[in-house]
Amino acid sequence: MSKHHVTTTINGDPTEFLCGTGETLLDALREQLGLTGSKEGCASGDCGACSVMMNGRLVCSCLVLGVEAQGAEIETIEGVAEGENLHPLQKHFLKEAALQCGICTPGFIVAAKALLERNPNPTETEARYWLAGNLCRCTGYDKIIRAVMNAAAEMRGA
Amino acid sequence: MAEIQYAAPETVAAAVKALAAGKGRAKVLAGGTDLLVQLRAGRISPDVIVDIKKIPELRKVKKDKGGFRVGAAVSGQELGENADFRADWPGVLEGFELIGSTQVQGRASLGGNLCNGSPAADGVPGLIAAGATVTIAGPKGEREENVEDVVTGPGQTSLKAGEFVVSINLPKRGKRGGDAYLRFIPRTEMDIAVVGAAVSLTLDAKGVCTDARVSLGAVAPRPLLVKAAGKALVGTKVDDAALDALAAAASAACSPIDDKRGTIEFRTKVAGVLARRAALIALERARNNA
């Protein structure tokens, strides 16, 4: 069977790609479209390194078929900064040194951005539970949580 | 390996046709949070994947006869945003929302959690306690089945080839009713139930329990409806003696696996403890729902 021709919107840009049924959205992003910011950690939905937004919902792109992106609105880590201007989350991740190897970072930033869009003033507990599906094996999480809380405060204008 | 075919029908009838065309080699895709994992691990190798999310009624939560019809592909986040549903069936949501991470909640469905057939599915005991049914579509039309009859063993369901779940149907909650779900895991989040317990009960104006259903997960080859545990509460004010009887009946119903996450002895004991605690939460909710 021939490949599926998928028409979708990624970070606001109309985009098309070809994929087989068994290929994931993550495969399509990384291998067809060169959007390698989303990472493959576990490929089973446990680590969150491949987090993207799909139609306004935070999802693991390793658990979405590429063909399911047909007609969808996808947002990836590549769409988070505005040109040269980093998002407050990105700035605070740098400032707090909330990363070491960096593999988990794109997923954390996409997931944290989704949290702050729903809840601009989360408690630390809420932030930790929201991010429970993003695993980091380097930092021990405290710096990440600090970065998220500080970014939230900055975005609220506090 | 031959390329897998993909179908995204827009009606229930078209989905039935697509599944039938798969001749037993078709898999239903809802949220995909189990299906894609199994696919990539090589545990399943379907000829065709039928994505049911383009069928509008599969994505809707509707009020129906005082209860709810929850489309089988509605995600945890979508159902959680329905304030009416949350007010009536908080215990059902407690179970559903424990499944996986935020990312998984954006996709995972009750229909999928049920049809995946896991004995430890967190979404299922709450539905069984609630007395929920499922509407199943197939080549011979639609039929309705009690949720407790759907899972028949680990990974096994009563669904025949070509059938799929269209909706999960919750009855009318009614006054002085409450439900709750609790699970034991060795950590705080992102884990599979070692024991799960759901209770749904109804009180009369004097506070006497008129109806109670108890369901346990992860303590048998499939989620259980423990009739004796529910019966232990009926006719009582849900006092200590009734709760002791409920806990004893819950433990007696267990035939769990024995593994490093929970021994047989532990799971059996904890099933009674959790059923009792869930009953107390359900009782409190019932009293507040006058």
Side-chain angles (χ1 to χ4, degrees):
Chain A
M1 187 187 158
S2 60
K3 293 199 166 197
H4 304 284
H5 177 210
V6 178
T7 309
T8 185
T9 303
I10 298 180
N11 301 324
D13 296 328
T15 306
E16 40 195 317
F17 60 84
L18 295 173
C19 73
T21 302
E23 285 174 65
T24 65
L25 174 59
L26 177 63
D27 296 335
L29 290 172
R30 290 181 58 85
E31 286 158 31
Q32 310 283 333
L33 301 170
L35 295 171
T36 54
S38 306
K39 307 299 182 195
E40 181 171 277
C42 65
S44 57
D46 294 303
C47 80
C50 65
S51 296
V52 303
M53 299 298 287
M54 181 173 180
N55 296 328
R57 301 277 174 197
L58 180 67
V59 302
C60 286
S61 59
C62 77
L63 293 186
V64 178
L65 294 177
V67 65
E68 289 184 79
Q70 174 63 41
E73 302 262 346
I74 310 287
E75 294 164 62
T76 71
I77 184 67
E78 285 85 355
V80 171
E82 288 181 25
E84 295 292 300
N85 293 324
L86 295 182
H87 187 278
L89 278 162
Q90 293 171 311
K91 281 189 242 167
H92 284 280
F93 266 68
L94 287 172
K95 203 167 157 195
E96 295 292 336
L99 63 150
Q100 287 176 33
C101 84
I103 288 282
C104 71
T105 312
F108 265 105
I109 287 176
V110 169
K113 183 168 174 278
L115 167 66
L116 300 185
E117 280 162 7
R118 282 168 79 98
N119 178 3
N121 193 11
T123 64
E124 184 180 320
T125 301
E126 286 168 338
R128 284 183 186 271
Y129 271 95
W130 180 272
L131 297 171
N134 291 84
L135 303 186
C136 172
R137 304 287 82 169
C138 303
T139 64
Y141 301 103
D142 279 351
K143 291 175 171 186
I144 290 171
I145 294 298
R146 227 177 289 150
V148 171
M149 300 306 282
N150 290 349
E154 184 190 317
M155 289 165 70
R156 291 193 308 273
Chain B
M1 188 180 85
E3 185 64 70
I4 308 163
Q5 292 187 47
Y6 173 82
E10 292 177 12
T11 64
V12 170
V16 167
K17 224 176 246 181
L19 285 170
K23 295 190 171 61
R25 305 268 312 149
K27 280 280 178 187
V28 175
L29 169 64
T33 53
D34 286 312
L35 188 80
L36 265 78
V37 176
Q38 292 161 5
L39 197 64
R40 287 169 75 82
R43 267 182 280 158
I44 54 168
S45 53
D47 289 346
V48 55
I49 289 175
V50 181
D51 184 352
I52 56 172
K53 290 191 298 299
K54 305 279 189 228
I55 306 170
E57 67 179 282
L58 276 272
R59 303 294 301 274
K60 282 185 190 141
V61 182
K62 275 189 291 196
K63 287 248 181 155
D64 183 44
K65 296 175 199 140
F68 294 88
R69 275 177 84 89
V70 180
V74 169
S75 74
Q77 258 172 28
E78 286 164 348
L79 192 60
E81 287 162 9
N82 188 310
D84 291 341
F85 190 92
R86 188 174 289 281
D88 277 5
W89 296 106
V92 170
L93 270 177
E94 274 165 349
F96 194 6
E97 292 182 333
L98 280 174
I99 300 166
S101 59
T102 315
Q103 286 85 341
V104 167
Q105 283 290 313
R107 296 258 295 167
S109 66
L110 275 179
N113 193 231
L114 178 64
C115 294
N116 187 49
S118 166
D122 283 309
V124 177
L127 293 174
I128 292 175
T133 64
V134 287
T135 299
I136 297 167
K140 291 180 183 164
E142 291 198 346
R143 65 186 179 94
E144 197 160 324
E145 187 159 86
N146 293 327
V147 171
E148 60 267 28
D149 296 327
V150 174
V151 179
T152 53
Q156 306 292 317
T157 70
S158 65
L159 271 68
K160 296 176 191 75
E163 287 190 327
F164 73 106
V165 172
V166 174
S167 67
I168 292 103
N169 315 311
L170 276 295
K172 186 175 167 160
R173 171 72 281 183
K175 280 199 192 316
R176 295 181 296 273
D179 73 334
Y181 176 76
L182 292 173
R183 75 170 176 186
F184 175 84
I185 54 172
R187 44 202 293 208
T188 58
E189 183 76 323
M190 292 283 286
D191 206 347
I192 297 166
V194 175
V195 180
V199 177
S200 176
L201 56 81
T202 309
L203 306 173
D204 68 13
K206 290 178 182 160
V208 175
C209 178
T210 57
D211 184 44
R213 286 168 65 95
V214 177
S215 176
L216 298 174
V219 293
R222 62 198 189 103
L224 299 176
L225 171 64
V226 187
K227 287 185 180 161
K231 218 178 260 176
L233 299 186
V234 174
T236 76
K237 290 203 163 182
V238 193
D239 50 22
D240 275 346
L243 289 165
D244 287 348
L246 164 139
S251 289
C254 296
S255 54
I257 57 168
D258 194 40
D259 69 6
K260 64 181 177 186
R261 301 179 68 246
T263 59
I264 290 173
E265 190 186 4
F266 179 81
R267 289 178 195 250
T268 303
K269 164 97 178 165
V270 170
V273 173
L274 287 191
R276 183 193 185 102
R277 290 181 189 169
L280 285 169
I281 298 168
L283 176 66
E284 180 72 20
R285 287 178 178 161
R287 285 174 177 161
N288 291 333
N289 183 22

